[in-house]
Amino acid sequence: MVFLVLGFAVMSPALAAHELKILYAFCAQSGCPDGYGPTPGLVKDHAGNLFGSVYVGAANKYGGVFELQRLSKDQYTYKLLYSFCGIPPCAYGPLGAMVLDTSGNLYGVLANYGLHYSGEVFELLAPTSGGGWTFKDLYDFCPQKGCPDGGSPESASLTYAGAISGELYDGVSPLFGTAAAGGNPTDDPGVVYELQPGTDGNWTEHAIYKFCSQSNCSDGVDPIGPVIEDGVGNLFGTTYRGGKCYQGCGTVFELSPSA
């Protein structure tokens, strides 16, 4: 008697192939008026439109903010919302993912120049009645000697309560971020900062933690990445240096509000 055994290959859903589709390729025209060098991270609104930034290129050659407007499934159209300038005190070089609020406004960080040549946080106000996007400077770093408020907010996106769960920013609660320099003028170790909007439309910045505050900088130096917020006020992040060794080891930290 002969038994015939038939084998069936079953592909696990986790191992199934994924198809990649290019939604938009930058520098589509000569001179790259659409920009190039997209910064890490996109943000999506409830309609499925995507927002992001490019570090260089665009109309003024110094980076910009763009939207990929969703037309249908896997179909998008590109639109340059704002192009930054490179003449001081203008700032340029957007970094990290944008923040989108419930009114459709965008927030981001610029690493270069600004009023004090140490970077700034900005807002792009959504257009009304068919107009264009309006740039608003929320905060310029390092207005004082030694930059006790921080400086050079490099490679760090902003965050807020609810961001980790995908909620849009409410526009009134604090924004949090890191700056790789400033804090302590002797060591220039960097800070974690909070930006609080006021009822008058002005924003107040506060360095809620200055690194190298512990012996031999065991708490870390150079917080060059973003922080995340856990929904109850605790912030988590990393430092590039400090910890077990000043020059290269680094740390993972939790920053909790005091009583």
Side-chain angles (χ1 to χ4, degrees):
M1 182 177 293
V2 177
F3 293 92
L4 180 63
V5 179
L6 300 178
F8 295 91
V10 179
M11 180 176 290
S12 168
L15 300 178
H18 288 71
E19 179 183 358
L20 184 142
K21 181 173 183 178
I22 302 299
L23 302 183
Y24 187 80
F26 290 94
C27 207
Q29 302 174 24
S30 176
C32 303
D34 53 343
Y36 62 97
T39 58
L42 294 168
V43 62
K44 183 172 68 172
D45 65 13
H46 294 309
N49 304 309
L50 302 172
F51 298 87
S53 61
V54 287
Y55 188 73
V56 286
N60 295 328
K61 311 298 183 185
Y62 292 96
V65 176
F66 67 87
E67 176 186 4
L68 284 181
Q69 186 178 11
R70 187 174 185 267
L71 303 178
S72 62
K73 186 177 188 243
D74 298 332
Q75 296 295 323
Y76 294 81
T77 184
Y78 175 91
K79 182 179 181 181
L80 181 65
L81 304 182
Y82 190 83
S83 181
F84 297 102
C85 73
I87 303 174
C90 294
Y92 67 92
L95 292 170
M98 306 292 293
V99 166
L100 179 67
D101 72 14
T102 53
S103 298
N105 305 309
L106 293 165
Y107 304 78
V109 177
L110 296 168
N112 298 307
Y113 289 118
L115 188 60
H116 309 294
Y117 298 89
S118 296
E120 68 182 45
V121 178
F122 69 92
E123 178 183 5
L124 283 183
L125 299 169
T128 57
S129 302
W133 291 73
T134 302
F135 178 88
K136 182 180 180 181
D137 182 359
L138 300 185
Y139 187 75
D140 285 275
F141 288 93
C142 202
Q144 301 175 27
K145 184 178 180 180
C147 304
D149 58 327
S152 301
E154 300 175 1
S155 305
S157 306
L158 298 167
T159 194
Y160 53 92
I164 198 169
S165 62
E167 299 175 22
L168 297 180
Y169 174 52
D170 61 14
V172 296
S173 60
L175 291 171
F176 300 95
T178 61
N184 181 337
T186 303
D187 302 296
D188 206 32
V191 306
V192 177
Y193 65 86
E194 174 188 78
L195 273 173
Q196 177 67 60
T199 56
D200 58 356
N202 295 317
W203 291 64
T204 303
E205 192 264 6
H206 178 57
I208 58 177
Y209 190 81
K210 300 178 181 181
F211 288 93
C212 206
S213 295
Q214 300 179 13
S215 177
N216 298 319
C217 300
S218 58
D219 53 337
V221 180
D222 291 348
I224 61 173
V227 288
I228 59 173
E229 202 265 1
D230 63 2
V232 294
N234 302 308
L235 299 171
F236 299 83
T238 60
T239 65
Y240 182 70
R241 298 187 294 135
K244 294 295 184 181
C245 60
Y246 182 85
Q247 288 300 326
C249 296
T251 66
V252 177
F253 65 85
E254 176 184 0
L255 191 59
S256 300
S258 64

